Every structure is written in C-alpha cells, then in structure tokens.
Amino acid sequence: MRAGAEAEARLSGLAEAGAEVMGVSAGRALDLLGADGPPGGRRPTLVVLGAELPAPVGLVHALRPDPRDLAVVVLTTLRNQERVAALPLLAPARLVCALPHDRLDDLPDLVHRLMEQIDRERAYAATQAAVQQSLTSGGQAPRQPGRHLLGAILGQALTGALLLDPGLRLVAWNRRAAGLFGLEEPGSIGRPLDGWFPAEARERLRAYLGGPPADTAGTGPAGTHAAGTGPLGTGPSGVDPLGTGPAGTDPSGADPAFTRVTGDGAEQVLRLSPQPVTDPGGAEQILVLAEDVTEAVQARRALAERTGQALLSGEVAAAVTADEPLEQRLRRCVQALAGHLDGAVAAVWILDPQTETLRLSADAVRGAVLDDRCARVPLGESTIGRIAAARRPYVTSEAIGDPHVEEQDWMRRESLTAFAGYPLVTQGQVMGVLAVLARRRLPDTGVRALAGIADQIAVAVHRDRLLERLSATADALQRPLLPPRLPEPPGVELAARYRPYGDGLQIGGDFYDAFPLPGDRWAVALGDVCGKGPAAAAVTGLVRHTLWAAAQQDADPGHVLPLVHRALRRENSPFCTLAYAVVDCSAEPVRVRLACAGHPSPILRRAGGAVAMAVEALDGYGPALGLFDGAHYPAHSLDLRPGDSLVLYTDGFVEGGASHRQRRPDDLAVTLAAHLPPGPDDRPADRIVEVLMADALNRWGEGLRDDLAVLALAAVPRAGGGQADRARTASSAVS
C-alpha cells in the first residue's frame, strides 16, 4: 500500500538493512497478499496504510490480519481519526496499530517490533504443529514450550524455574516463574531474561548466569526499571541488597539477589540460582531457579536501618554529652552523620542572638568543599537563614531546581541533590540549624532520625549556654571572696592557689585572705565554710568581713576568732574551719602568732629542709567556729627566719577523695620534703603551693570531691639590710 512519501522515506532504512520493502496500489493489495488464503499460510508481511486512504477500516478487515503472518500499521491524521476509531474492534494492538502522521520517526521501531512478534507467533505455531503431528503418528512427542515444557514436578513447584538457551533467552518456565516475571505465551518466549532487570544490573546478571555480554537491543517489559536497594536508599540500582561482592557472589556463600521494579511500580528482589543442563537432544541450556526474597530483604533492610539509626543516635548522644568544648562535640556529631550517610555533607550553624547571625560551628564534608558564603549567614537569608527564622524543617530530594534552595550552583558542582535542614529549637528558643546534603535521596526513616538528632543537638547547645551563664554567675560570686592579688609584706613572700570542685559551676566554700594591720603587721587567713553555693558564699563573706573588722581593733587570734565564732552563732550559720595568723614584719626574725579553729594543722618548713606540723608542735588548736558555746582558741608564736615557710591548706588536700584514700597532714610534709630540696630558692612560697596543688590533682584525679585552697608564707632576706622595705604595703581588694 502506498504509505506516503514521508513514510516510504522512513521505511527505506529497513530496505537498506536487508528487509524487503515495496509499495503497491490499493487495488492490488488483496491479490498480492493472498487474502483468500488460510491464516498463517501467507508470507510474513507487514502492511503500512497511508493516511490518504478513504476506507482504512474496510481494507484492514479485508486483509484479515493474523498474528502468524500479517500485521498492519495505519497512519492517521486529524482528518481520518474518526474513520480509524473502530480498528481496536477488529484486532488487538499487537496486530493492528494506528500511528499518528506526526510520529513517523517511530515507524521503523514499530515495524521491527511487529515483525518480531510475527516471527515468535510462527515459531510457536510450528512447534505446536510438530507436537500434534508427532502425537497423531504415535511417536514420542517433545514437551511443549513455555510453562508446560518443564513437566509436572517443576511446573507445580513453589520455586520459580526458568529454562534459558545459551544466549539467556527464555525457552520455558513453570507457573511460579510466570507469576514472578509476568511471563506469557508466546510473547515471552525467546526474549532475554536480563530484559526484565534494570540496565545497570544486566551486565552483572549475564556474567553471573554465564551468558554472552548484554545486547543493548534486548529490553524487558514496559515499566521495568531500576530501584535503589541500600538500607538508606542510597545504593546503586540493581545491586544485590544482601551484600554480594564484586564478582556477583554473596560473601556468606548464598546466591546473589537482583532487584527489579514490576509493572505496577512495586520493588521485587529475586534470588537466582543457575545450573547448566542438557536436554534429551544434547542441546546445552541453563536452568535458573528464582526465589522471591523481597520480604526478607525488606525486613533485613528495616533492621539495618533501625540498627544504623540506633548506632547513629548513640554516637550523637555520646558526642553531645562528652566532656569537651561545644565545637568539638558538634564536630563529632556531624562526623557521625557524614559517616553513616555515605557521600553526605553535614554541618551545624549556631545562632548569635545579639547579631542575628548564624555562624558555621562544625562541618563534615566528604569529597566536597563548603562555599565560603556558608561561614556566616544572616537570619532570614538564604536557605539556612530562612529555616532558622521560620523554625520549620525543610527536606527535598530534588534540591536542584527547587526554588526554596538557593545554594543550587554549589550543590550542582558537588553533585549533591538531596537537602534536609532542621532548626535547632528547644524551650522555644532557636539555637541554630542542622543541615545534611546528600548525593541521593534521603529515605523517610532517615529523615525522621535526623529530626531526633537535631533535637539532641539543640538540647546540647542550650545546655552549653546555660552552663556558660552559670559559670559566669559562679565566677562573679566567687571573685569577691578571694583577693584579686596578694600583698607583698617586707621580708615575706605570699603565694596561694585555689581550685573549686567540679566544673566550677558551684561556688566553693574555701577562701583565703591577707590584709595589712597597724604597726607593719599583716593578717593572713585561710578557711573552709561548710557547704557549697550561695549559702556558703554568704557565710564566707560574713567570716571575711568579721575578720577584717575585728582585726582593726585587736588583731590577736585570741580576740579575733571568738568574735567570728559569735557572729556565726548569732546568724545561725554553718560552721567554718579557719587558720589565722598575724605576721609581724617589723621583727627580725619575722614573728607569727597562729591559731587554728578545727582546721588541718599548718606545715612548718625550716630553711634546712626539716618539716613539722606547726600546731601539733605548739600544743593543739580549738574547735571549728560556730559549733560550741564557750569554745577556746589558743594562739601560739613562732619565728620565721629567711628560708623558713608556713603552709596553710584546706581539708581537700587530705580528704578530697574516697574515704579509703584519705591522707594525714604529715603526708603533705613528706611530699614537700621529697619535691623541694633544701637550700635557697628565689620564689619559695610559689614553689610550695605549686607542688602541693599538682600532687593533690594527680593523686585524686577524677575522684576529687572537694575544693582545694593553699596559701604559703615564706620568710625571705630583706633588701637593703633589714627594714628598708618596711614601707611597702598593699591592701587586699574587697569587692
């Protein structure tokens, strides 16, 4: 039939490829095709009817299309669409196809497909005829093709069975395999098995089954396409989700599985087991057993997802609670995220509420480089800033082209497509933004896990801010309880160290002080108030100010300590231990009046290296201040010559750890003797407090349960031969 000049031009390519193409008039069509002959007896023919024919439906009816020898293509235009509307009533689409005239480029492919269909139908009919002839002649008939060829046992098996020729084309299958792949006779016979799988998996499948390299012309049913199979949806399509190695075998020894998507869009995972066989005629074939493991894979995938998410949440929880600076903890969080989400970029921005700017605090990048513009993002600007301002997460699997994502140029350059951003919000406050960018779609379960991780990070940032405020408050309250600097009395060196217990968020009960008195004398005190926090701070302030006021009238310990004791009793305050000394720098040697109220015995170190307990050597001390009425506090005198030292310390140095590890005061004396050799020292007091503090921290370590305060007073040679420096004075500042 004449198909028109344009149609003949499209068909000319088929003639060049070896197919017979001819044009005939409508009047000779029936004679040429032998329309009166029996169906299937004509030469395999495809007829293309031009769009100009006045009655295409009648001509198709007269041609009597048959799947074994004749198919028809009717070209259509807007003018003859109504005339060809009845074509589906005459024959199925695999025999008679209507092709719009503006789609002539599809004509060669359509011709190929219809002619292949005719060839399959003729082969199937020939096989059936041979079987029938063999049966009527009484011979041994071969089994029929398709699902009947495998016999009763494999035909009824619950496992799919397929028979392939050496080119991996379908020869036969059982009922189960027909259901798995949607096979039908005769259309599926002779088609390559790899055509039912995505293009990415075909080469590996053919290599596994032992067939020749994939033929690009071999395609599966319409709708068959790839599906990601990794536990987070980020694995390549068609790859075995059960962990097959590069050679196509499961490390556990099981047969590999291959993933396909059925015509209705459902993911299907099939485990294939090939076995070479030989038919009775000696022809080599391949028997493939196919098992649907979709449910097992999905269950394993769900378990892997839950396990991975639990591990990730555990890593993030460990990171946010670690005893490290905030930025180090955030860096550990994003590194965990990038590690679990292969090919991902994870970053955290922290909001500065004063400047309303989001500062990039931590990032973990795999194979990508963050844009410099990401370092500081104004609130409400760009994707990150808008997420923080709106306080709502934003997740998209197609960030490229998404109008809400402004960083598309950078993402395209780094091959990133998926974006998930979460505001860090806790107790109604915005802490910052967590963002994850990936090269593949983030699954729903992963998105939900990221939302929980964002909450963890938000709480960690909020906690860190609270701790900063508490630390600043504690420091502000503690600072007035200690002198900002020690005075420098003539002929005496003073040095002190203080370390509060724990993370410094609580106000300690230890304190020390030194202030001038009339007559070139100095008061030195070191005490420990019972308790912690603001209540202890209030008692510390009461003790320090009472000491100062009482010492202005009469600095002798026998006068000062009873006054402090009565002040505590009057206020019903917690008790306080105290070591108090009056240092007379006008005398040579330096004269010290010392008293202790329930306090650990001070240490007296002589210039020659001898060390003794000063108070024990001077007949004891009185009880803690504020405990008992009528308490007596004896005072004792001792002289300090150049090189001699007096050391005051709190009970944290002897009782700072567990009860079974407590020390005696003479243990500190042994420590000093071991670390400070006898002889002159340019800064003896400073060396003493350094040695004792380092020894305590090393001994107690993480087991330290108390504050530490130590003050050393060392007599040094006077400059200018005696009392030339007596005019030097310094007062302790009181905030």
Side-chain angles (χ1 to χ4, degrees):
M1 305 303 148
R2 290 199 62 83
E6 292 186 33
E8 289 183 359
R10 300 299 191 282
L11 293 172
S12 63
L14 299 176
E16 295 173 0
E20 183 176 352
V21 178
M22 59 183 177
V24 297
S25 64
R28 294 187 55 208
L30 300 180
D31 295 337
L32 181 65
L33 298 176
D36 294 333
R42 298 170 295 197
R43 183 178 180 180
T45 307
L46 183 138
V47 178
V48 179
L49 300 181
E52 71 276 8
L53 292 176
V57 174
L59 187 54
V60 170
H61 179 68
L63 290 173
R64 298 169 64 190
D66 187 273
R68 294 167 292 179
D69 58 13
L70 179 62
V72 180
V73 176
V74 180
L75 302 181
T76 66
T77 64
L78 293 176
R79 293 193 303 271
N80 71 346
Q81 281 185 350
E82 293 184 359
R83 295 198 298 269
V84 300
L87 285 178
L89 301 177
L90 299 180
R94 62 189 176 92
L95 293 180
V96 179
C97 299
L99 181 69
H101 197 271
D102 57 357
R103 291 179 55 192
L104 288 178
D105 289 340
D106 298 338
L107 183 58
D109 291 337
L110 181 59
V111 170
H112 271 299
R113 180 169 63 82
L114 292 174
M115 292 303 293
E116 287 177 357
Q117 178 70 23
I118 290 175
D119 289 341
R120 285 194 295 270
E121 295 279 357
R122 290 177 68 85
Y124 185 62
T127 303
Q128 285 182 319
V131 171
Q132 183 65 31
Q133 183 179 4
S134 177
L135 290 174
T136 55
S137 63
Q140 182 65 35
R143 293 192 178 101
Q144 296 179 7
R147 66 184 180 89
H148 302 290
L149 180 63
L150 298 177
I153 296 179
L154 284 178
Q156 300 299 324
L158 298 179
T159 299
L162 306 103
L163 197 63
L164 311 179
D165 66 14
L168 304 186
R169 291 180 290 270
L170 285 169
V171 175
W173 56 86
N174 67 353
R175 181 177 301 174
R176 176 61 174 163
L180 291 177
F181 289 90
L183 306 177
E184 59 182 3
E185 298 180 15
S188 300
I189 294 177
R191 305 187 75 168
L193 178 64
D194 63 342
W196 272 264
F197 292 88
E200 304 93 292
R202 289 173 189 168
E203 194 63 41
R204 189 172 69 90
L205 175 61
R206 296 185 74 87
Y208 170 66
L209 296 178
D215 181 4
T216 56
T219 58
T224 300
H225 58 280
T229 60
L232 292 178
T234 57
S237 300
V239 175
D240 176 17
L242 302 180
T244 56
T249 57
D250 194 321
S252 64
D255 296 311
F258 295 84
T259 302
R260 61 184 294 268
V261 173
T262 62
D264 58 2
E267 182 183 81
Q268 185 184 57
V269 185
L270 299 173
R271 191 193 295 276
L272 304 180
S273 305
Q275 176 66 44
V277 296
T278 304
D279 68 6
E284 294 184 354
Q285 294 177 323
I286 302 172
L287 176 64
V288 179
L289 300 181
E291 179 185 3
D292 190 342
V293 294
T294 304
E295 292 185 2
V297 169
Q298 290 176 345
R300 186 176 301 185
R301 184 181 305 166
L303 178 61
E305 287 182 6
R306 289 193 294 269
T307 302
Q309 291 164 12
L311 291 174
L312 177 58
S313 297
E315 288 187 36
V316 171
V320 298
T321 56
D323 187 15
E324 297 173 346
L326 178 63
E327 291 202 357
Q328 293 184 20
R329 286 181 279 147
L330 294 179
R331 189 174 299 113
R332 288 177 56 185
C333 291
V334 295
Q335 287 173 347
L337 282 169
H340 282 265
L341 300 176
D342 184 33
V345 176
V348 172
W349 286 261
I350 300 300
L351 176 63
D352 182 353
Q354 302 298 324
T355 62
E356 294 190 339
T357 301
L358 292 153
R359 176 180 57 84
L360 182 63
S361 182
D363 64 272
V365 181
R366 286 179 171 264
V369 179
L370 281 177
D371 196 311
D372 292 339
R373 292 173 296 179
C374 295
R376 300 185 71 84
V377 180
L379 186 65
E381 297 185 13
S382 81
T383 310
I384 301 300
R386 287 196 296 270
I387 289 174
R391 301 189 178 193
R392 290 194 302 271
Y394 187 75
V395 180
T396 176
S397 298
E398 299 178 357
I400 306 302
D402 191 327
H404 296 90
V405 180
E406 293 186 356
E407 296 78 9
Q408 295 186 24
D409 292 341
W410 170 71
M411 293 184 66
R412 186 180 292 106
R413 186 174 65 249
E414 302 296 345
S415 301
L416 302 169
T417 58
F419 174 89
Y422 300 85
L424 305 178
V425 180
T426 182
Q427 296 187 7
Q429 302 180 40
V430 179
M431 301 290 109
V433 173
L434 166 67
V436 174
L437 302 94
R439 290 181 169 84
R440 298 182 183 91
R441 177 185 178 275
L442 296 171
D444 295 339
T445 53
V447 169
R448 289 193 293 270
L450 289 174
I453 289 171
D455 291 339
Q456 288 180 286
I457 296 176
V459 171
V461 175
H462 185 251
R463 175 179 176 272
D464 190 79
R465 288 186 177 178
L466 289 178
L467 292 179
E468 285 184 358
R469 295 172 187 169
L470 289 173
S471 180
T473 302
D475 184 66
L477 292 174
Q478 186 82 59
R479 194 180 303 114
L481 306 181
L482 301 173
R485 60 185 297 272
L486 290 171
E488 300 177 4
V492 172
E493 179 194 358
L494 292 176
R497 295 289 187 276
Y498 171 75
R499 186 184 186 278
Y501 160 64
D503 50 16
L505 299 180
Q506 282 193 334
I507 305 167
D510 292 6
F511 68 94
Y512 61 85
D513 201 358
F515 52 87
L517 298 169
D520 207 5
R521 294 178 305 159
W522 301 78
V524 177
L526 184 140
D528 184 0
V529 171
C530 178
K532 307 288 183 188
V539 177
T540 300
L542 173 63
V543 172
R544 290 186 68 228
H545 287 287
T546 304
L547 278 173
W548 184 87
Q552 303 308 311
Q553 300 175 358
D554 183 351
D556 188 78
H559 171 73
V560 172
L561 266 59
L563 288 179
V564 176
H565 169 76
R566 289 195 292 271
L568 292 175
R569 295 288 289 173
R570 182 178 63 250
E571 297 295 332
N572 197 25
S573 297
F575 67 87
C576 170
T577 68
L578 183 70
Y580 171 75
V582 177
V583 183
D584 186 356
C585 296
S586 63
E588 294 188 19
V590 174
R591 176 58 58 89
V592 177
R593 286 282 290 170
L594 174 66
C596 283
H599 204 77
S601 177
I603 299 172
L604 179 61
R605 181 176 182 269
R606 293 301 183 182
V611 183
M613 299 297 101
V615 172
E616 290 181 1
L618 298 173
D619 301 327
Y621 46 83
L625 301 172
L627 278 181
F628 309 110
D629 292 332
H632 176 63
Y633 300 98
H636 312 281
S637 298
L638 55 94
D639 293 334
L640 296 180
R641 293 176 174 81
D644 294 344
S645 303
L646 181 66
V647 185
L648 313 179
Y649 56 92
T650 56
D651 59 359
F653 285 88
V654 290
E655 301 175 0
S659 58
H660 67 281
R661 301 178 61 193
Q662 289 186 4
R663 310 175 72 193
R664 291 176 54 82
D666 51 6
D667 293 330
L668 303 185
V670 173
T671 299
L672 288 177
H675 290 83
L676 296 176
D681 194 328
D682 58 346
R683 52 184 189 93
D686 207 45
R687 289 274 293 149
I688 288 172
V689 297
E690 284 182 356
V691 166
L692 290 180
M693 183 64 75
D695 177 72
L697 295 177
N698 180 66
R699 179 175 297 275
W700 303 128
E702 296 296 329
L704 181 63
R705 295 294 182 267
D706 203 354
D707 307 323
L708 297 174
V710 57
L711 185 149
L713 182 152
V716 296
R718 300 174 187 268
Q723 303 182 9
D725 293 335
R726 209 171 281 175
R728 288 188 306 160
T729 60
S731 60
S732 63
V734 178
S735 302

